[in-house]
Amino acid sequence: MSTTRPYPPGDRGPEPSGASGASEGGAAASPGGRQVRRLSFDGQSGVVPLARDFTRQALYAWDWMPATTADRRAAAEDVLLVVSELVTNACLHADGPDELWISCDNKVIRVEVSDKGTGQPAPRTPHRAGRPGGHGMFIVQRLCLDWGVVRTSGGTGKTVWAELGAPA
């Protein structure tokens, strides 16, 4: 697990696919086939189900759903669970999320949740499966290829990101 990344939110580092853009609540695709969707939570209530519905729509648009195999179904459910955990953490520990970004290429789906909180997400250690609560970042750590936190420069806030592998 890493908790810092040398590139800004939305950038997985140097890739031949180039930059990508997105519009509010919409989608965009870069020339390299990277697809991006963004959801602003400004003035929204019920943000966890809203985020899950938004993500589910993206997964349908990107042909992750409906899943044709058990592996594809599990991969889509993992993405939905990670979105739920990151948005829930922003609600519980940072006065709610500001935005959700989801990007996808042929290999990786990246989820980013930004908020104005100052805390540092981390899996609870030692992890005790029988203890209620505190499992969110442990779940994210277990399901994802990598995850981390990027601080907002010049102010409060952060973006918590997680990357999951695309199904075979």
Side-chain angles (χ1 to χ4, degrees), residues 101-113:
W101 283 80
I102 307 169
S103 60
C104 180
D105 60 23
N106 291 332
K107 296 178 185 174
V108 174
I109 191 163
R110 181 175 173 112
V111 175
E112 300 180 18
V113 176

Side-chain angles (χ1 to χ4, degrees), residues 8-133:
D11 184 359
R12 290 193 349 240
E15 288 186 3
S17 63
S20 61
S23 59
E24 169 117 20
S30 72
R34 187 168 174 84
Q35 301 175 77
V36 180
R37 295 213 172 191
R38 173 183 165 263
L39 174 65
S40 173
F41 293 107
D42 189 34
Q44 300 288 334
S45 61
V47 295
V48 175
L50 179 66
R52 283 182 63 88
D53 290 344
F54 176 81
T55 302
R56 189 175 288 110
Q57 290 171 6
L59 293 174
Y60 272 102
W62 298 337
D63 294 326
W64 281 51
M65 295 176 83
T68 55
T69 67
D71 286 345
R72 291 183 67 81
R73 188 170 28 264
E77 290 299 323
D78 288 351
V79 171
L80 293 170
L81 180 55
V82 168
V83 166
S84 295
E85 293 298 339
L86 296 182
V87 173
T88 297
N89 277 356
C91 292
L92 293 174
H93 305 293
D95 296 326
D98 292 330
E99 289 184 334
L100 167 65
W101 283 80
I102 307 169
S103 60
C104 180
D105 60 23
N106 291 332
K107 296 178 185 174
V108 174
I109 191 163
R110 181 175 173 112
V111 175
E112 300 180 18
V113 176
S114 62
D115 62 54
K116 291 184 177 47
T118 58
Q120 179 72 22
R124 184 184 284 175
T125 56
H127 182 257
R128 293 190 180 107
R131 182 193 301 173

Side-chain angles (χ1 to χ4, degrees), residues 7-9 115 117 149-159:
Y7 354 102
D115 62 54
V149 179
V150 177
R151 294 275 163 210
T152 303
S153 61
T156 61
K158 64 186 173 301
T159 299

